[in-house]
């Protein structure tokens, strides 16, 4: 299972590990590093209604020329903050993702659809994606609904990913579900202390190989 971090790209390079990669987004100035796995985030939470599929597509094209292997690129979702909680809208996310695919589908990326609280099997465009990304609240992320959708995705041969994984409990849950990757900011704060811990988590992968 790959751990993608939004921390500085230099940390991913310094802490060289084949199970460690980068989660990049248009608002960052960093670019993919050849040989290091990465994924593309859409920045929808920070951009809101200003998200532009064309701008996202232009950025993805620029990233391609830097090499490296993109695990997936996240389709636009609809999410907002309600107090301290992140709230997603599964139906609006489906509509926004399908509309964006008209612009994005011609790019050679594995498109990831974001699963939100309340999402059911009929809310996922299975025939137009190559990955699913577990978003939504903590309750949803670690609950039976997300697990069921992940099982469906794995049965279809899709890449499976969980967002905001910053604890051993959540990392181990994702590993036990057989997810292909997770992301988090665990390395951003106190990397010298947290990297040895994260490295022990990644040791769960054993001697297995990754099919990028």
């Amino acid at each position: 299972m790959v751990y993608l971090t939004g921390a500085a790209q230099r940390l991913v390079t310094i802490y060289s590990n084949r199970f460690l990669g980068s989660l990049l987004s248009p608002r960052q100035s960093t670019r993919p590093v050849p040989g290091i796995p990465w994924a593309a985030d859409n920045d929808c939470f920070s951009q809101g209604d200003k998200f532009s599929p064309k701008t996202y597509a232009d950025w993805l094209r620029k990233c391609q020329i830097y090499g490296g292997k993109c695990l997936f690129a996240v389709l636009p979702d609809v999410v907002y903050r309600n107090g301290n909680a992140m709230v997603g809208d599964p139906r609006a996310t489906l509509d926004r993702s399908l509309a964006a695919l008209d612009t994005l589908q011609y790019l050679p990326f594995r498109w990831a659809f974001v699963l939100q609280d309340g999402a059911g099997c009929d809310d996922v465009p299975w025939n137009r994606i190559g990955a699913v990304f577990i978003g939504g609240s903590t309750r949803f992320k670690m609950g039976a609904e997300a697990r069921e959708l992940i099982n469906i995705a794995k049965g279809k041969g899709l890449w499976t990913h969980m967002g905001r994984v910053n604890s051993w409990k959540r990392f181990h849950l994702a590993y036990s579900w057989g997810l292909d990757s997770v992301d988090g900011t665990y390395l951003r704060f106190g990397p010298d202390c947290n990297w040895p811990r994260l490295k022990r988590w990644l040791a769960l992968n054993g001697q297995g190989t990754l099919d990028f």
Side-chain angles (χ1 to χ4, degrees):
M1 186 170 69
V2 185
Y3 189 91
L4 303 174
T5 178
Q9 184 81 296
R10 64 179 183 84
L11 295 179
V12 178
T13 304
I14 292 171
Y15 302 135
S16 180
N17 185 294
R18 66 195 182 102
F19 298 114
L20 181 66
S22 298
L23 183 67
L24 306 180
S25 65
R27 61 190 166 91
Q28 295 173 317
S29 60
T30 53
R31 293 291 183 263
V33 175
I36 294 179
W38 67 285
D41 198 5
N42 56 42
D43 267 348
C44 276
F45 180 68
S46 61
Q47 293 183 353
D49 293 337
K50 295 181 180 179
F51 173 82
S52 165
K54 182 181 182 303
T55 300
Y56 189 36
D58 290 344
W59 174 74
L60 287 170
R61 288 191 189 95
K62 292 177 182 179
C63 286
Q64 281 184 280
I65 68 174
Y66 287 86
K69 178 64 176 180
C70 185
L71 304 179
F72 57 86
V74 184
L75 290 170
D77 57 324
V78 177
V79 62
Y80 56 92
R81 187 178 295 280
N82 183 7
N84 293 324
M86 303 274 282
V87 180
D89 186 328
R91 176 52 59 177
T93 291
L94 176 60
D95 292 341
R96 194 178 203 183
S97 292
L98 290 177
L101 276 170
D102 292 338
T103 299
L104 300 172
Q105 63 184 335
Y106 303 105
L107 295 174
F109 288 91
R110 178 190 282 148
W111 301 112
F113 181 78
V114 181
L115 305 175
Q116 309 274 14
D117 293 66
C121 186
D122 294 338
D123 297 313
V124 182
W126 299 108
N127 62 335
R128 302 193 65 184
I129 60 174
V132 293
F133 181 118
I134 307 176
S137 68
T138 296
R139 184 203 64 77
F140 173 76
K141 192 183 301 288
M142 304 182 74
E145 297 95 336
R147 178 71 181 273
E148 181 179 357
L149 291 170
I150 287 298
N151 287 340
I152 294 172
K154 292 179 71 65
K156 294 178 179 293
L158 305 183
W159 187 272
T160 54
H161 178 87
M162 179 184 288
R164 301 200 311 276
V165 175
N166 295 303
S167 68
W168 163 249
K169 179 180 180 180
R170 196 167 295 188
F171 183 94
H172 189 266
L173 177 72
Y175 180 83
S176 70
W177 286 6
L179 297 184
D180 297 298
S181 60
V182 297
D183 74 75
T185 56
Y186 193 69
L187 282 180
R188 181 173 296 172
F189 308 102
D192 290 340
C193 294
N194 288 338
W195 168 240
R197 295 169 182 157
L198 180 57
K199 190 174 182 179
R200 288 195 294 272
W201 300 359
L202 296 175
L204 275 174
N205 290 295
Q207 301 301 312
T209 58
L210 297 175
D211 181 9
F212 291 161

